[in-house]
Amino acid sequence: MSYREKYDSWLSSEFLDESSKLELKNLQDEKEIEDRFYKDLEFGTGGLRGIIGMGTNRMNIHTVGKTTEGLSQYLLNKYEGDISVSIAYDSRIMSKEFAMAAAANLCANGIKVYLFESLRATPILSYTVRHFKSKAGIVITASHNPKEYNGYKVYGEDGGQVTDKSAKEIFSFIEEVNDFNKIKTMNVEDAKKNGLLNIIGEEVDKEYISRVKNLTIRKELVDKYADELKIIYTPIHGAGNIPVRRVLKELGYKNVTVVKEQEQPDGYFPTAAYPNPEDPKVFNIALEMANKIQPDIIFGTDPDCDRIGIVVKDNNGEYKVLTGNQTGALLTHYILSSLRELNKLPENGTVIKTIVTTEMASDIAKDYGANLVDVLTGFKYIGEKIGEFEKKGDKKYLFGFEESYGYLAGDFVRDKDAVIASMLICEMTLYYKNKGINLYEALMNLYKKYGFYKEKLVSLVLKGKEGQEKIEKALQYLRHSMRYTLGEVKIAKKMDYKISIEKDLINISEKVIELPKSNVLKFIMEDNSWFVVRPSGTEPKMKIYLSVTGNSIEDSEEKMKLFENNVMKIIDEACNC
């Protein structure tokens, strides 16, 4: 069926209300109509994510219904007996409505639903799935995307985001839902009366918060000095406000100042067009406050509170937003060094990171005799590894992180958790404050010991059908036509995760990559700099990750400029081949 035929079928459908049809009728741009209907919104390993609006390639009640109907049939086909699904949602536009639509469909299929009474942080949903022994979980969120977006993340019974095999199975059932009349629904009151819809709240929050507080490493330090730490926190109009502040308050952090302008949930994100703690602009108001408060730490959580960014004062008295890699390296070192000092570091202790995350973590882990495990990009793979460790019993999970500001300690949550991370960041800041240094100085000490690592992410926005085709064409060029030098430096290794082969281009040998297949390429240079190219799984972007190591900050910055220039020349060739 062509995009035009799909468009006409929606206009004539009895299942669309008049306001939805009016939205479609008012579309004047043929390219816009094509983009809305040329494909179905893709269900990947993270679920759905897209712009809110009518159309098969948009987030709306109908695409949510179709996806949930497919998920319902998948669960009914896979499990016997009582089946339940836990659902949470964040502060985004239509999040509550999409959550209710998903709940109504599940209940209509005879599946019990545990739905939060109000918005919740994504990691709390991960915990809730495990708490109720649900067979699946759903979070309605688009994480840190702009206000135009929403999404639908699916979790497995382990509390982690569904990975490749399960996602493909779920997608096969979604594909069978090819007509609106196949999407079941149930009245909310009937669902409650039948015991299918269960509204949950404080009882789950209380247990989760208790588990988070138990992850405190230096309890005596926190008990004695927590009230001396000055903190500025912004929830960036999202779901982190209540759980983050509650944890800190109950641990004794009394000097927490919240950015009032960004405190209340608001899906329009009036003070942050891009509500991402990776973007320094989200901290502008906090930095104005800092001039008066002089905080020890500033941090912000994204709308669904699974990512966190921190701001520290450098040696010149200027505030700097740390990268996800820098924060992850600091936390890795703090956790491992503290556990060793307290004689609590297990022999099989393990840190997990993704293949696009700083190699400084590898150096730190090695220094403390801990294992370091690499996984594909996406926190779902870290959650999956935690489950493998539990089953095999050969490794003890200590900490996991990715460069995109996601961190997790403990194993009762299986996704990145900014509530846990905020607590550990405050404890780490407090520890160094008692040592007479701030986090920036602690980071400089790590650089002096392990090398001045510098990483960068370049995202090329390539929208629509043409953009997707260009991304695939570029990856094919890099895969098959890439030359073996970059500037004056030879490429030492080429790692193609789509075919699971690592080629040693110096010694002319190959080995199998023991990771799931993924459309990702990594090139490692003779000087140990590297770059990775992959399509984004959630946005119309091609992502290029770069890493170099220098002898000083200035040296690494110069190396990065040259390296980025050489890499982007190749990327430009690939995009225009």
Side-chain angles (χ1 to χ4, degrees):
M1 189 183 293
S2 70
Y3 75 86
R4 259 289 170 181
E5 288 172 325
K6 289 181 182 178
Y7 171 69
D8 291 336
S9 71
W10 276 55
L11 283 177
S12 61
S13 173
E14 62 182 276
F15 294 95
L16 254 69
D17 59 30
E18 288 307 311
S19 63
S20 299
K21 289 180 179 179
L22 184 62
E23 177 186 329
L24 293 174
K25 288 175 183 176
N26 286 337
L27 295 175
Q28 301 296 318
D29 185 353
E30 190 66 23
K31 279 286 184 184
E32 172 73 6
I33 297 172
E34 180 185 29
D35 189 55
R36 287 186 182 223
F37 287 95
Y38 85 93
K39 67 173 183 177
D40 287 353
L41 192 61
E42 292 179 7
F43 184 88
T45 52
L48 303 174
R49 190 175 298 182
I51 296 170
I52 301 166
M54 287 298 114
T56 59
N57 190 31
R58 292 291 185 268
M59 278 292 296
N60 52 66
I61 291 293
H62 309 290
T63 51
V64 167
K66 175 178 178 173
T67 301
T68 312
E69 182 64 42
L71 176 63
S72 295
Q73 296 310 313
Y74 162 80
L75 294 172
L76 292 168
N77 184 71
K78 183 173 181 178
Y79 299 104
E80 295 180 356
D82 292 336
I83 302 172
S84 72
V85 174
S86 297
I87 302 178
Y89 58 92
D90 70 0
S91 61
R92 286 185 173 271
I93 298 166
M94 294 295 290
S95 280
K96 184 174 182 179
E97 289 85 348
F98 292 158
M100 292 301 298
N105 175 268
L106 289 160
C107 291
N109 279 291
I111 296 171
K112 183 181 289 188
V113 170
Y114 295 101
L115 173 67
F116 274 103
E117 62 192 355
S118 56
L119 80 167
R120 288 297 187 282
T122 285
I124 297 178
L125 184 278
S126 175
Y127 174 76
T128 304
V129 170
R130 297 170 63 80
H131 172 80
F132 285 115
K133 295 182 172 58
S134 292
K135 298 304 183 187
I138 299 168
V139 179
I140 305 298
T141 178
S143 190
H144 56 283
N145 285 78
K147 64 183 180 181
E148 293 83 8
Y149 285 78
N150 212 326
Y152 180 112
K153 293 169 70 173
V154 180
Y155 289 74
E157 60 184 313
D158 65 342
Q161 291 184 53
V162 292
T163 49
D164 306 308
K165 185 175 182 292
S166 296
K168 287 177 182 176
E169 291 175 2
I170 294 168
F171 180 63
S172 69
F173 283 93
I174 295 171
E175 281 190 306
E176 293 179 13
V177 185
N178 49 25
D179 200 325
F180 285 138
N181 61 19
K182 289 186 177 180
I183 301 171
K184 304 180 189 69
T185 190
M186 177 180 268
N187 178 275
V188 170
E189 293 307 317
D190 289 341
K192 288 179 179 178
K193 287 177 184 177
N194 294 331
L196 290 167
L197 180 58
N198 302 273
I199 306 301
I200 57 173
E202 174 62 20
E203 68 279 11
V204 180
D205 297 333
K206 187 175 181 180
E207 288 188 24
Y208 167 78
I209 295 295
S210 176
R211 297 289 295 272
V212 173
K213 291 190 299 180
N214 285 338
L215 292 175
T216 302
I217 301 172
R218 297 178 180 272
K219 291 183 172 60
E220 290 184 9
L221 173 78
V222 173
D223 288 344
K224 191 172 182 179
Y225 298 109
D227 61 350
E228 296 181 10
L229 195 73
K230 290 184 180 180
I231 301 162
I232 292 180
Y233 167 56
T234 171
I236 317 178
H237 305 292
N241 186 42
I242 292 175
V244 169
R245 292 172 69 181
R246 179 173 176 178
V247 165
L248 296 182
K249 181 180 180 181
E250 292 185 13
L251 285 171
Y253 294 97
K254 297 177 182 177
N255 288 318
V256 180
T257 304
V258 179
V259 178
K260 291 294 181 185
E261 294 89 337
Q262 298 175 325
E263 179 181 6
Q264 295 305 315
D266 189 336
Y268 290 96
F269 307 116
T271 67
Y274 184 44
N276 187 347
E278 296 179 53
D279 182 358
K281 292 191 288 293
V282 303
F283 293 107
N284 285 347
I285 303 173
L287 290 172
E288 289 176 11
M289 296 167 59
N291 293 324
K292 179 180 179 181
I293 295 172
Q294 293 296 308
D296 298 298
I297 185 71
I298 301 169
F299 61 86
T301 54
D302 71 343
D304 68 324
C305 195
D306 62 356
R307 300 171 192 248
I308 184 169
I310 67 176
V311 184
V312 299
K313 188 179 285 188
D314 67 12
N315 293 334
N316 298 319
E318 296 180 3
Y319 286 102
K320 300 277 189 183
V321 179
L322 296 189
T323 68
N325 283 311
Q326 291 171 330
T327 302
L330 280 165
L331 284 168
T332 299
H333 182 266
Y334 176 72
I335 291 168
L336 295 181
S337 62
S338 297
L339 291 175
R340 174 185 277 183
E341 183 182 325
L342 298 169
N343 294 315
K344 292 181 179 180
L345 183 61
E347 290 185 7
N348 61 348
T350 303
V351 175
I352 308 174
K353 71 175 187 68
T354 67
I355 60 172
V356 299
T357 297
T358 181
E359 287 300 319
M360 187 193 283
S362 304
D363 294 344
I364 295 169
K366 184 178 179 181
D367 199 20
Y368 285 91
N371 301 304
L372 190 286
V373 173
D374 271 317
V375 296
L376 290 175
T377 310
F379 219 91
K380 54 187 171 286
Y381 297 112
I382 294 177
E384 186 178 45
K385 278 293 177 188
I386 298 171
E388 288 180 18
F389 294 170
E390 282 185 344
K391 289 177 183 176
K392 294 180 181 178
D394 58 338
K395 294 180 176 69
K396 173 64 177 175
Y397 174 74
L398 299 177
F399 182 61
F401 77 104
E402 59 185 359
E403 53 76 39
S404 55
Y405 292 60
Y407 317 94
L408 177 67
D411 59 7
F412 55 90
V413 170
R414 295 296 165 88
D415 201 358
K416 50 190 175 287
D417 189 328
V419 182
I420 291 173
S422 67
M423 183 205 73
L424 288 173
I425 287 166
C426 287
E427 181 185 327
M428 176 172 65
T429 308
L430 182 63
Y431 170 78
Y432 286 120
K433 181 177 182 177
N434 272 260
K435 294 287 185 181
I437 63 174
N438 64 21
L439 281 190
Y440 182 82
E441 292 166 314
L443 178 63
M444 291 304 105
N445 289 339
L446 293 186
Y447 280 145
K448 290 170 187 174
K449 184 172 184 179
Y450 299 108
F452 287 81
Y453 285 86
K454 185 171 182 62
E455 298 85 14
K456 186 171 183 178
L457 169 63
V458 179
S459 294
L460 298 181
V461 178
L462 298 163
K463 293 182 178 180
K465 183 181 179 182
E466 293 176 1
Q468 293 302 303
E469 290 172 350
K470 182 171 279 194
I471 290 172
E472 186 53 41
K473 191 177 180 182
L475 282 160
Q476 286 299 100
Y477 175 87
L478 294 170
R479 183 168 279 119
H480 300 295
S481 305
M482 172 83 171
R483 56 180 178 264
Y484 292 147
T485 59
L486 209 60
E488 298 179 356
V489 184
K490 288 182 179 178
I491 297 173
K493 293 180 181 179
K494 174 185 175 183
M495 305 165 85
D496 190 336
Y497 294 89
K498 190 173 184 178
I499 59 173
S500 301
I501 293 293
E502 176 184 320
K503 288 186 177 182
D504 186 327
L505 303 177
I506 304 299
N507 299 307
I508 318 301
S509 61
E510 292 184 359
K511 69 177 184 180
V512 175
I513 299 172
E514 300 291 344
L515 289 174
K517 294 184 186 299
S518 184
N519 192 15
V520 180
L521 292 166
K522 184 171 186 176
F523 299 89
I524 302 175
M525 314 304 294
E526 274 194 309
D527 62 0
N528 289 322
S529 57
W530 55 261
F531 71 99
V532 172
V533 184
R534 74 176 185 91
S536 170
T538 57
E539 301 170 277
K541 293 178 179 179
M542 181 164 65
K543 295 192 171 186
I544 302 99
Y545 303 81
L546 308 143
S547 175
V548 300
T549 311
N551 299 316
S552 66
I553 290 178
E554 294 77 18
D555 183 41
S556 62
E557 286 177 348
E558 284 301 314
K559 283 185 175 180
M560 179 57 79
K561 286 179 185 176
L562 178 61
F563 188 53
E564 181 183 357
N565 183 57
N566 288 332
V567 170
M568 294 314 294
K569 283 181 182 177
I570 294 292
I571 298 300
D572 186 58
E573 285 179 22
C575 287
N576 295 290
C577 60

